[in-house]
């Protein structure tokens, strides 16, 4: 392929640098975006992807470097200015106003610049409905607070779609979407590209990049590494460009036949919460990693939160190693060694303005304190450093606020927090959301090691390849009930999707 | 190893050399406040010969010491994400209740204990409305502020009650000295040191920071956040009770109109000292420096014969300046 002529380029970035204090997030990065292309941006957690996009959107100012739009040098000073230049941005972290309606959120930007004095709610809802129809089933009049994370993500996307942009930036949009919603998004992306809109697509999922993008640019440690045509490269090549070494396998080996034991760690019987799930029973065996699959809204998260007593009024028995537990509060659950990794790390997983060390010890500060309840700073620091090291956390020092970490590294802090109490059973809700390939492989390996060490592991994931790759057994949840179980050879995306949407096994192909 | 000042990430540094420690110290809000207070002292020493005298120092210290006890309670409450507008009237109510009981023949110590118990109960009631009913701190404490003041006026007919027969050993806590140090100041220092330590170092108070920083994340860490907020709300009122008793011993009377506008002073001091109104950060030491600053400014202005009206204007401006500077410092660090 020949180099693009300059007319082809809508956005050009040259020599861009940005530091946060001592952290050099970008070092002389270059990037070129053609008209009508879908251009993937790949790189490990903390490589500088979001920082680069934030600069393009005017949220951050570069220390040096140049941005050209349509060949003209521009200085973008605010997101509002980026918008008028035709740049739309769907952020990695959801930032909607929770108390107002979906429609109002979608048209926030438009309302902002409108001259009309009164809000035309009907009109807004009608127009919002039109856009949302393409994305899925969301009520434009519902307050955002009532939506699931994936629905909120769709609203973010809808918001960007209303802007009439020429450049659309999507920062890990699928991290919070189900397979099906993601497919809808990809269709929309292709349509937009067909209309000449350029899309920058950030994702840690190689499959998505290879299925949907034209080119891919790789960043590593704040530096530009390479731009490749997707049709002319391989996943392996992109991944090794990202991590600077070869990653052999994303998933650790599963339990061998003879390693399976009948020993039951956790036994859940007849778990019921009248509104959301009924009569849920399952067992978690020693050594295995159990997956929970299902469509968004099926009740997976609710069931798990119910077991931990995080929400709902729950009836039914939960026994750990054969002993029936009496849990009234999540604190009791933690004391028994049953912990839950939240799917919403920003909202309820982490204390963003507090330090890494303080976050890691939050589940049990008592652990890093003397018997009299005096916190020992040294032990707290050591604990964070030890767990951070185990998860390959990238950070300056454990006294940094978590908000200064990249998305994926924040997730590792959330996982470190779970591990800090040496749990017996861990429920992980989307454990690798927003985590890069290298770290993902690492988290999977850690989960496997924990399982081998006798810790019960239950994984909820909307990424089917992950469930299939990691789990020894998958339960499919549908409308608040367990619709079926798949193991070994049955564990395919088809079988799981079939069970999740229809509640039955697919007919055996002849 | 570095010393850690607060659990909020900002003040924690990596271990390093003396230079690092120094740099970190300079960035801390407390250092800035100490420097400002020192500068004020130096300026005032030149402006007024009376300023640096032992009598004036003592008077200034007495002025902020008792209020400082209330500031401690308010700071902890602010960190947990709450606020209390009723501190002034609850302090006055403690005085009035103890005073009336004493006049009715009850031993002053017992009367004081009962008054503090009533204040604690008031705090617990506010905590109930906030955590169980789900009302906002602001509204609940606004209502209690008015109710408690009403009770003060009702009990006394609006006039101060003189307590001439208070035994000397009781007056000692408000008027006596140990050596040259007034007892009031001893009490103040003890309360500050104890709570500063508790807040920085204990698991119990760490939970206050977690709750204020992100209540939902705290709940998802197994912390009983409602209990935490209930307790910080109650503690603040209890400390108001304690302050009220000290005031009574000091004045030898119960003043039903005492402490009007106190909440503004107390909140301002905590905020100047680094407490955030949105919860999750603040230190006792900082808040006390804030109290000292405001008090030194007030007495300086009084010494310089500046009109009381100007004093309010200046105090308000200091608050605004302090918060603005902090806002920008935080932004730069963030
Ligand atoms: N506000 C900030 N203050 C300090 N450091 C920051 C700040 N924002 C980002 N960084 C640092 O800059 C680097 C790049 O972060 P960035 O968020 O751009 O990574 P990313 O490639 O988007 O990663 P991820 O895949 O995890 O989202 C990281 O080392 C991060 O810790
Ligand atoms: Mg990012």
């Amino acid at each position: 392929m020949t180099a693009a002529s300059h007319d082809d380029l809508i956005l050009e970035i040259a020599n861009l640098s940005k530091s946060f204090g001592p952290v050099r997030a970008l070092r002389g990065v270059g990037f070129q975006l053609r008209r009508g292309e879908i251009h993937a941006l790949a790189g490990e957690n903390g490589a500088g992807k979001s920082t680069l996009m934030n600069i393009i959107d005017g949220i951050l100012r570069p220390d040096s470097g140049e941005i050209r739009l349509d060949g003209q040098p521009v200085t973008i000073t605010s997101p509002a200015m980026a918008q008028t230049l035709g740049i739309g941005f769907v952020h990695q972290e959801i930032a909607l106003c929770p108390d107002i309606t979906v429609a109002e959120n979608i048209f926030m930007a438009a309302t902002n610049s409108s001259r009309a004095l009164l809000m035309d709610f009907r009109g807004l809802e009608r127009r919002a409905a039109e856009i949302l129809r393409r994305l899925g089933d969301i009520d434009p009049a519902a307050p955002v607070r009532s939506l699931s994370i994936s629905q909120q993500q769709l609203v973010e996307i809808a918001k960007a779609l209303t802007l009439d942009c020429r450049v659309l930036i999507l920062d890990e949009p699928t991290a919070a979407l189900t397979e099906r919603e993601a497919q809808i998004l990809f269709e929309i992306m292709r349509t937009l590209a067909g209309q000449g809109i350029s899309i920058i697509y950030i994702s840690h999922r190689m499959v998505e990049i290879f299925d949907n993008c034209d080119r891919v640019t790789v960043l590593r440690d704040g530096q530009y590494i390479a731009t490749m045509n997707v049709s002319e490269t391989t996943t392996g090549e992109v991944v090794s460009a990202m991590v600077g070494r070869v990653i052999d396998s994303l998933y650790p080996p599963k339990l061998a036949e003879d390693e399976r034991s009948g020993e039951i760690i956790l036994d859940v019987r007849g778990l019921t919460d009248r509104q959301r799930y009924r009569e849920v029973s399952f067992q978690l065996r020693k050594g295995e990693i159990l997956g929970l699959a299902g469509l968004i809204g099926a009740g997976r998260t609710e069931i798990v939160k119910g077991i931990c007593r995080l929400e709902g009024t729950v009836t039914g028995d939960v026994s750990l190693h054969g002993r029936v537990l009496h849990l009234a509060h999540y604190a009791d659950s933690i004391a028994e060694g049953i912990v839950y990794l939240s799917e919403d790390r920003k909202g309820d997983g982490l204390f963003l303005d507090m330090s890494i060390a303080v976050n890691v010890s939050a589940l049990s500060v008592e652990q890093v304190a003397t018997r009299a309840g005096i916190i020992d700073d040294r032990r707290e620091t050591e604990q964070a450093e030890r767990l951070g090291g185990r998860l390959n956390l990238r950070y300056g020092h454990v006294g940094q606020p978590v908000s200064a970490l990249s998305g994926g590294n924040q997730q590792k802090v959330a996982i470190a927090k779970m591990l800090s109490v040496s749990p017996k059973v861990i429920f992980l809700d989307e454990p690798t959301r927003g985590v890069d390939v290298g770290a993902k492989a690492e988290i999977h390996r850690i989960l496997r090691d924990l399982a081998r060490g006798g810790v019960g592991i239950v994984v909820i994931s909307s990424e089917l390849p992950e469930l299939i790759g990691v789990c020894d057994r998958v339960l499919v949840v549908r409308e608040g009930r367990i619709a079926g179980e798949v193991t070994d050879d049955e564990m395919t995306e088809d079988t799981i999707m079939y069970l999740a949407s229809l509640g039955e096994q697919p007919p055996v192909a002849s | 190893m570095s010393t850690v000042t607060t659990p909020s990430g900002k003040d924690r540094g990596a271990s390093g050399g003396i230079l690092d420690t120094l740099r970190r110290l300079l960035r801390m809000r407390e250092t800035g406040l100490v420097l400002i207070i020192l500068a004020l002292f130096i300026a005032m020493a030149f402006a007024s010969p009376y300023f640096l005298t032992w009598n004036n120092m003592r008077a200034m210290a007495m002025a902020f010491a008792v209020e400082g006890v209330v500031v401690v309670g308010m700071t902890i409450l602010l960190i947990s994400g709450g606020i209390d507008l009723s501190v002034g009237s609850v302090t006055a109510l403690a005085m009035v209740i103890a005073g009336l009981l004493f006049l009715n023949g009850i031993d002053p110590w017992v009367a004081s204990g009962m008054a503090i118990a009533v204040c604690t109960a008031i705090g617990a009631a506010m905590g109930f409305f906030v955590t169980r009913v789900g009302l906002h701190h602001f509204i609940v404490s606004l209502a209690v502020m008015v109710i408690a003041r009403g009770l003060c006026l009702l009990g006394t007919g609006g006039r101060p009650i003189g307590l001439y027969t208070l035994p000397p050993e009781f007056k000692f806590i408000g008027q006596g000295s140990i050596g040259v140090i007034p007892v009031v100041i001893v009490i103040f220092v003890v309360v500050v040191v104890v709570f500063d330590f508790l807040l920085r170092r204990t698991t119990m108070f760490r939970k206050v920071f977690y709750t204020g920083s992100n209540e939902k994340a705290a709940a998802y860490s197994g912390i009983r956040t409602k209990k935490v907020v209930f307790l910080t709300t109650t503690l603040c009122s209890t400390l108001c009770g304690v302050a009220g008793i000290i005031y009574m011993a000091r004045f030898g009377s119960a003043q039903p109109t005492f402490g009007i506008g106190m909440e503004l002073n107390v909140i301002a001091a905590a905020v100047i000292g680094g407490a955030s109104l949105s919860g999750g950060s603040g230190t006792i030491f900082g808040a006390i420096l804030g109290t000292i600053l405001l008090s030194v400014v007030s007495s300086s202005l009084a010494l310089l014969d500046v009109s009381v009206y100007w004093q309010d204007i200046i105090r308000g401006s200091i608050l605004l300046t302090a918060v603005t500077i902090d806002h920008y410092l935080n932004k730069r660090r963030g």
Side-chain angles (χ1 to χ4, degrees):
Chain A
M1 197 148 187
T2 55
S5 87
H6 275 267
D7 297 347
D8 261 0
L9 296 178
I10 179 158
L11 181 72
E12 251 187 296
I13 284 165
N15 244 324
L16 208 68
S17 295
K18 172 77 187 174
S19 299
F20 297 100
V23 181
R24 299 176 70 190
L26 294 175
R27 293 187 263 175
V29 168
F31 179 75
Q32 299 191 324
L33 185 66
R34 294 178 190 157
R35 274 174 228 287
E37 78 166 334
I38 304 183
H39 194 136
L41 191 57
E44 287 185 290
N45 293 133
K49 306 179 296 291
S50 298
T51 305
L52 180 59
M53 295 305 114
N54 282 333
I55 290 174
I56 297 177
D57 198 43
I59 296 169
L60 294 173
R61 293 291 209 84
D63 299 335
S64 63
E66 194 180 47
I67 302 176
R68 284 166 176 272
L69 202 63
D70 290 320
Q72 300 300 315
V74 285
T75 310
I76 303 171
T77 52
S78 69
M81 178 177 175
Q83 241 170 55
T84 49
L85 291 173
I87 298 170
F89 192 170
V90 177
H91 285 271
Q92 181 169 12
E93 312 287 348
I94 293 168
L96 297 168
C97 304
D99 294 309
I100 63 177
T101 67
V102 170
E104 286 171 89
N105 264 289
I106 291 178
F107 289 104
M108 196 148 28
T111 318
N112 212 356
S113 55
S114 135
R115 300 256 168 75
L117 205 55
L118 297 176
M119 300 269 296
D120 171 15
F121 285 104
R122 286 276 176 68
L124 285 188
E125 276 171 30
R126 192 162 27 75
R127 282 163 57 204
E130 263 165 47
I131 295 165
L132 288 171
R133 205 168 25 244
R134 291 165 67 185
L135 288 168
D137 191 24
I138 298 174
D139 175 9
V144 163
R145 192 182 286 291
S146 69
L147 304 183
S148 70
I149 294 285
S150 86
Q151 288 172 320
Q152 293 187 15
Q153 181 64 294
L154 290 176
V155 173
E156 282 280 12
I157 293 167
K159 204 170 139 185
L161 292 181
T162 60
L163 289 177
D164 269 338
C165 46
R166 296 182 298 158
V167 175
L168 179 62
I169 302 170
L170 301 166
D171 195 350
E172 293 188 45
T174 52
L177 296 182
T178 56
E179 202 81 8
R180 188 182 296 180
E181 291 162 331
Q183 290 309 327
I184 297 171
L185 173 67
F186 296 141
E187 258 162 54
I188 294 174
M189 278 165 52
R190 280 191 287 264
T191 316
L192 292 175
Q195 295 165 359
I197 294 173
S198 311
I199 298 174
I200 303 176
Y201 183 76
I202 300 180
S203 176
H204 288 297
R205 301 184 187 167
M206 289 302 129
V207 189
E208 294 178 356
I209 293 179
F210 278 82
D211 285 358
N212 303 292
C213 300
D214 304 311
R215 295 197 297 163
V216 52
T217 290
V218 177
L219 298 183
R220 182 169 76 226
D221 290 334
Q223 282 175 306
Y224 172 87
I225 301 296
T227 300
M228 299 169 255
N229 282 318
V230 164
S231 54
E232 293 161 11
T233 185
T234 61
T235 308
E237 217 172 7
V238 173
V239 170
S240 38
M242 277 168 61
V243 297
R245 66 195 143 90
V246 181
I247 295 218
D248 17 307
S249 155
L250 204 49
Y251 305 111
K254 298 196 180 189
L255 272 191
E257 199 74 50
D258 59 337
E259 283 178 302
R260 294 189 190 175
S261 87
E263 192 183 333
I264 291 163
I265 298 183
L266 190 77
D267 191 355
V268 176
R269 275 177 200 281
L271 198 77
T272 301
D273 167 296
R274 250 170 296 134
Q275 275 122 47
R276 289 165 299 187
Y277 47 89
R278 272 146 297 146
E279 290 296 321
V280 173
S281 301
F282 67 89
Q283 297 174 330
L284 174 65
R285 295 184 205 120
K286 190 168 179 185
E288 73 172 352
I289 297 181
L290 180 65
L292 287 183
L295 303 177
I296 292 287
R300 295 168 304 173
T301 295
E302 286 77 9
I303 290 170
V304 165
K305 283 186 183 171
I307 295 173
C308 299
R309 296 299 186 270
L310 269 163
E311 64 177 44
T313 31
V314 195
T315 56
D317 282 344
V318 176
S319 10
L320 183 67
H321 292 297
R323 186 169 49 90
V324 179
L325 302 179
H326 301 283
L327 308 173
H329 189 272
Y330 183 42
D332 305 334
S333 168
I334 294 174
E336 293 287 357
I338 301 176
V339 296
Y340 167 74
L341 175 80
S342 162
E343 62 177 329
D344 180 8
R345 62 165 173 264
K346 193 180 169 195
D348 49 42
L350 294 169
F351 305 90
L352 290 177
D353 52 355
M354 298 181 115
S355 74
I356 297 172
V358 168
N359 269 277
V360 171
S361 56
L363 279 189
S364 169
V365 212
E366 288 76 13
Q367 246 180 204
V368 291
T370 63
R371 191 115 12 99
I374 312 291
I375 296 170
D376 181 343
D377 294 328
R378 192 160 305 195
R379 262 159 73 191
E380 186 166 48
T381 305
E382 273 165 13
Q383 167 173 281
E385 283 169 353
R386 178 169 47 81
L387 292 169
R390 188 161 158 204
L391 295 170
N392 250 333
L393 183 72
R394 297 255 180 104
Y395 61 99
H397 55 89
V398 294
Q400 270 180 312
V402 168
S403 57
L405 298 178
S406 74
N409 280 307
Q410 290 183 8
Q411 182 69 7
K412 289 187 193 170
V413 174
I415 294 177
K417 184 178 151 189
M418 299 299 126
L419 297 185
S420 72
V421 291
S422 317
K424 297 199 183 89
V425 176
I426 315 181
F427 293 99
L428 301 110
D429 204 345
E430 311 286 355
T432 61
R433 169 175 291 170
V435 171
D436 69 51
V437 254
K440 209 165 177 167
E442 210 129 19
I443 289 173
H444 292 152
R445 186 184 48 72
I446 287 164
L447 293 185
R448 182 51 76 190
D449 287 350
L450 286 169
R452 274 187 213 286
V455 179
I457 305 282
V458 180
V459 176
I460 296 179
S461 176
S462 297
E463 208 188 327
L464 285 181
E466 172 171 52
L467 279 184
I468 294 168
V470 173
C471 301
D472 302 295
R473 196 155 63 94
V474 172
L475 300 176
V476 182
V477 181
R478 180 173 175 275
E479 292 174 2
R481 287 170 187 277
I482 292 186
E485 172 186 322
V486 290
T487 46
D488 305 314
D489 297 343
E490 300 165 353
M491 242 203 260
T492 64
E493 296 195 25
D494 282 349
T495 327
I496 294 176
M497 282 316 288
Y498 221 90
L499 270 168
S501 40
L502 298 173
E504 54 192 55
Q505 301 264 355
V508 183
S510 49
Chain B
M1 268 316 295
S2 60
T3 48
V4 173
T5 52
T6 71
S8 88
K10 290 164 209 150
D11 297 344
R12 279 183 165 233
S15 52
I18 296 179
L19 217 68
D20 259 10
T21 317
L22 207 68
R23 204 172 293 141
R24 212 170 42 251
L25 216 62
L26 277 178
R27 263 193 318 216
M28 270 167 49
R29 140 104 71 179
E30 283 86 348
T31 318
L33 279 172
V34 169
L35 292 178
I36 294 173
I37 293 171
L38 276 180
L40 252 174
F41 263 78
I42 295 169
M44 278 309 292
F46 284 107
S48 161
Y50 177 68
F51 187 79
L52 273 188
T53 60
W54 173 248
N55 273 345
N56 186 51
M57 290 294 122
R58 189 185 144 107
M60 273 195 316
M62 295 284 279
F64 66 67
V66 193
E67 199 167 275
V69 174
V70 180
V71 171
V72 168
M74 181 69 85
T75 305
I76 296 171
L77 180 56
L78 285 173
I79 295 171
S80 73
I83 195 166
D84 186 353
L85 302 180
S86 72
V87 287
S89 22
V90 171
T91 302
L93 187 62
M95 257 194 258
V96 167
I97 292 175
L100 288 177
L101 288 174
F102 172 70
L103 287 186
N104 282 295
I106 295 179
D107 175 76
W109 300 101
V110 176
S112 300
M114 287 164 80
I116 294 174
V118 171
C119 292
T120 305
I122 289 175
M126 286 197 281
F128 172 83
F129 277 105
V130 171
T131 58
R132 296 291 151 192
V133 183
L135 305 181
H136 196 279
H137 263 111
F138 194 90
I139 298 301
V140 174
S141 65
L142 185 65
V144 169
M145 164 172 135
V146 180
I147 294 172
R149 184 66 66 192
L151 287 173
C152 287
L153 299 174
L154 193 69
T156 60
R159 285 174 304 275
I161 14 181
L163 307 167
Y164 311 108
T165 51
L166 271 180
E169 66 273 16
F170 186 82
K171 284 196 215 156
F172 181 74
I173 56 174
Q175 300 171 5
S177 298
I178 300 174
V180 288
I181 316 280
V183 178
V184 171
I185 298 194
V186 175
I187 297 176
F188 163 74
V189 170
V190 169
V191 169
V192 168
V193 169
V194 167
F195 278 100
D196 188 71
F197 176 80
L198 291 176
L199 202 57
R200 277 174 210 269
R201 298 294 304 277
T202 61
T203 55
M204 192 168 57
F205 281 89
R206 171 64 72 76
K207 290 176 183 170
V208 174
F209 282 95
Y210 285 131
T211 304
S213 171
N214 181 345
E215 183 163 359
K216 201 144 176 241
Y220 274 58
S221 303
I223 293 165
R224 297 170 203 266
T225 55
K226 286 188 172 165
K227 193 169 123 193
V228 169
V229 174
F230 178 84
L231 289 176
T232 55
T233 311
T234 309
L235 175 67
C236 184
S237 297
T238 306
L239 289 174
C240 288
V242 172
I245 297 305
I246 304 175
Y247 276 124
M248 183 176 88
R250 190 166 137 210
F251 301 147
S253 65
Q255 317 249 352
T257 55
F258 182 81
I260 292 176
M262 186 204 247
E263 62 285 347
L264 295 183
N265 237 350
V266 169
I267 294 168
V271 171
I272 290 175
S276 155
L277 285 182
S278 50
S281 66
T283 61
I284 299 288
F285 186 46
I288 292 309
L289 288 174
T291 317
I292 295 178
L293 177 64
L294 285 179
S295 161
V296 171
V297 168
S298 288
S299 58
S300 304
L301 294 173
L303 272 182
L304 297 176
D305 270 337
V306 177
S307 105
V308 234
Y309 308 122
W310 272 109
Q311 294 187 21
D312 281 345
I313 296 171
I314 291 171
R315 265 201 320 226
S317 311
I318 291 178
L319 175 62
L320 210 55
T321 315
V323 180
T324 309
I325 292 174
D326 189 56
H327 180 73
Y328 278 105
L329 285 181
N330 265 332
K331 234 176 165 172
R332 220 183 48 208
R333 278 179 233 157

